[in-house]
Amino acid sequence: MNGNTARILLMVARLSWLLALGAGAAFWLGWGVPLHAHMGLGGLMVLSLLGVALLGLSRRTGLALALAAVAVLVPVLGMMQLMAPLFDSRVLTQVVHVALGFCAIGLGEVLAKRMKQGAAPLV
């Protein structure tokens, strides 16, 4: 595994996560940010985290699979918000979407750190 590749993917994930969080908050507050900007940045974050998970799959299988699962759930919940008339709990969906975004970036950080340490796998 190339450590530089994981480092670059993680930096892209961090930056896109921060920008997606800001764009999502600005859209939610009605500040005129296009929803597609938030979705594009979030998609870049998810793809970057899936890359980190793929790199960590052979060394930290359980953690990498957990990261991949959470990263895939983030856009699924985001898309569920677009179907608001079908769901009575849109605010709950929004809160869970943001919380999973935080969990995804956190799992990416943990996986990258554990891959770098090279210690015995915990998961």
Side-chain angles (χ1 to χ4, degrees), residues 1-11 13-14 48-49 51-53 55-57 59-60 63-64 67 104-119:
M1 180 191 80
N2 187 351
N4 286 334
T5 304
R7 186 176 309 131
I8 290 169
L9 285 172
L10 191 59
M11 289 302 293
R14 289 173 182 158
S48 301
L49 289 175
V52 172
L55 290 174
L57 194 57
R59 297 180 63 195
R60 306 279 188 238
L63 193 55
L67 172 59
I105 200 69
L107 279 172
E109 294 284 348
V110 169
L111 178 59
K113 183 175 181 179
R114 295 232 176 117
M115 288 188 319
K116 185 178 178 182
Q117 288 174 344

Side-chain angles (χ1 to χ4, degrees), residues 12-70:
V12 170
R14 289 173 182 158
L15 181 61
S16 58
W17 171 73
L18 187 61
L19 293 173
L21 186 63
F27 177 80
W28 186 69
L29 292 170
W31 290 355
V33 174
L35 180 61
H36 292 294
H38 168 72
M39 293 169 67
L41 290 164
L44 182 60
M45 179 200 80
V46 167
L47 289 175
S48 301
L49 289 175
L50 287 174
V52 172
L54 185 63
L55 290 174
L57 194 57
S58 64
R59 297 180 63 195
R60 306 279 188 238
T61 306
L63 193 55
L65 290 175
L67 172 59
V70 171

